[in-house]
Amino acid sequence: MNNGVSNDADILGLKTKRAWTDKREPFSPNDINDSEKLLRMRASSGLWDDDLNELIIVPQGQSNSTRKPARAHFKLKSGEPRTPIHRDSADPTHNDAVDELQRRLATEGASLHIVSKARDANRKHIRKRLWTQHSLSDYTWHKEPSTRLLMECGDFIQPDIVGVDTKRMNRTTHNPTIIIEVVHHHWPEKATFSHLKTLSKLNHIVVFYFVKKGLKENSFANALKLNGNINTLTAASFLVGGNFMHEGEVVEESINSDVDYFRFNELAEAAAEKSFTEQAAIAKAEAEARGNVK
């Protein structure tokens, strides 16, 4: 994680996907290449990102023998807070899952119930309640890049999805901030994971939501299902109260070394991959059975 911006590669890694004018008109970096839209941006008294940090326009660069042309992009104005260097995901499966999860969570009138996959004394899978939204709470759900969180050390992180109770300023065990990190190919970096762990001590619940293709092929590893006006989020791996939990049990109370961090990663990914494999086998068997009936 890095707080500075040292070159074009770093700048392009920032998730500044949208700029706002003084007329509340949004623009994307691609709009910089449109002459009419560029004029409207430059006519504004300023440009700001989703967190009201002031931006400047950087047109597409020129190529030479040693350098590829830099894409047009927005850059934080000198002196503004910097975001961490974090690769902007071009993974459509990841991004589509974030969009769909946020849309479902934001369904008007819906509340959230979170359960963890766990095992009983006989090691059979069960569902264990983790948290239920209070009837007096009203949660709003944001997706990146509108999820930037400032940490005490000055670093910023940008979770995929963040839900906050808009009815009150304080955060308690009854109305925690909910963070959902969607995992397709990339587990959060160690520095980001450490910050998420810190937040989990401060009445934040961090859910790691694994995807493989679309959400319909995803119900074994994770699930988000709406029943009436209740969204039930089921997952296996969490950060709660500073602890990494997997299938209902505390795995480790703290990260003492890189070994711990990689162990959490391997444990969560192995369990998700096993779930995907089991689900694929069942789906194949069901399809074959339907074929035999015909």
Side-chain angles (χ1 to χ4, degrees), residues 45-63:
S45 62
L47 291 173
W48 297 270
D49 67 9
D50 288 330
D51 291 321
L52 303 182
N53 297 310
E54 194 164 359
L55 301 171
I56 60 175
I57 298 169
V58 182
Q60 182 168 316
Q62 299 296 317
S63 62

Side-chain angles (χ1 to χ4, degrees), residues 20-23 25 27 35-48 57:
W20 297 88
T21 67
D22 54 5
K23 298 184 183 301
E25 187 176 9
F27 290 95
S35 59
E36 292 187 6
K37 292 180 179 179
L38 180 60
L39 283 174
R40 296 210 301 274
M41 282 186 270
R42 286 179 168 166
S44 174
S45 62
L47 291 173
W48 297 270
I57 298 169

